[in-house]
């Protein structure tokens, strides 16, 4: 099992969270299974950017993003050089530290 740490997020997980995830699992699915209410508007087909996560540790261990993911990420709120779409990455054997962006694109629109 691989340790995935979620940094505190005011709405989704105010205390932060540590999950043990089986290598090979899609991160978005694993977070949902762990009770984290991450948005996933397109159900994991790389057609939205609501499942955006910032990989604070372990980023280099992930397989590189495909073009489709890069295209969607360009639209994500709060994009960083270590941003990924959580439905497009699989947890490996390297521990990850994940930050959920303050807003998803849907939220950002609501707050404009
Ligand atoms: Fe839409 Fe991940 S759920 S891109």
């Amino acid at each position: 099992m691989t340790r995935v740490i979620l940094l505190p997020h005011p709405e989704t997980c105010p205390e932060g969270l540590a999950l043990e995830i089986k290598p090979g699992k899609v991160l978005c699915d694993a977070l949902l299974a762990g009770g984290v209410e991450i948005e996933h508007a397109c159900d994991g087909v790389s057609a939205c950017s609501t499942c955006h996560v910032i990989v604070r540790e372990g980023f280099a261990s992930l397989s590189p993003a495909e073009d489709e993911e890069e295209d969607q990420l360009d639209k994500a709120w709060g994009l960083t050089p270590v941003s990924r779409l959580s439905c497009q990455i699989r947890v490996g054997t390297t521990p990850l530290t994940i930050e959920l962006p303050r807003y998803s694109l849907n939220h950002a629109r609501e707050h404009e």
Side-chain angles (χ1 to χ4, degrees):
M1 298 295 251
T2 303
R3 173 154 286 227
V4 175
I5 298 200
L6 224 67
L7 298 175
H9 180 279
E11 284 143 31
T12 313
C13 61
E15 309 291 320
L17 198 64
L19 296 170
E20 296 291 331
I21 297 176
K22 203 168 164 201
K25 288 271 180 206
V26 172
L27 181 61
C28 185
D29 295 345
L31 292 176
L32 290 167
V36 179
E37 302 265 320
I38 186 165
E39 286 193 51
H40 52 293
C42 77
D43 258 340
V45 296
S46 202
C48 72
S49 61
T50 58
C51 67
H52 170 211
V53 293
I54 300 162
V55 186
R56 292 293 178 202
E57 282 175 40
F59 180 82
S61 71
L62 301 169
S63 56
E66 306 275 341
D67 289 350
E68 280 180 1
E69 181 182 348
E70 296 283 6
D71 289 350
Q72 291 303 331
L73 267 175
D74 282 344
K75 302 174 196 160
W77 186 92
L79 185 66
T80 78
V82 290
S83 288
R84 294 297 301 265
L85 295 179
S86 61
C87 71
Q88 299 300 308
I89 53 179
R90 290 185 187 274
V91 175
T93 52
T94 304
L96 301 175
T97 300
I98 302 292
E99 179 182 343
L100 300 175
R102 182 67 182 84
Y103 302 118
S104 75
L105 197 60
N106 292 346
H107 277 136
R109 286 212 183 100
E110 283 164 21
H111 286 80
E112 274 171 4

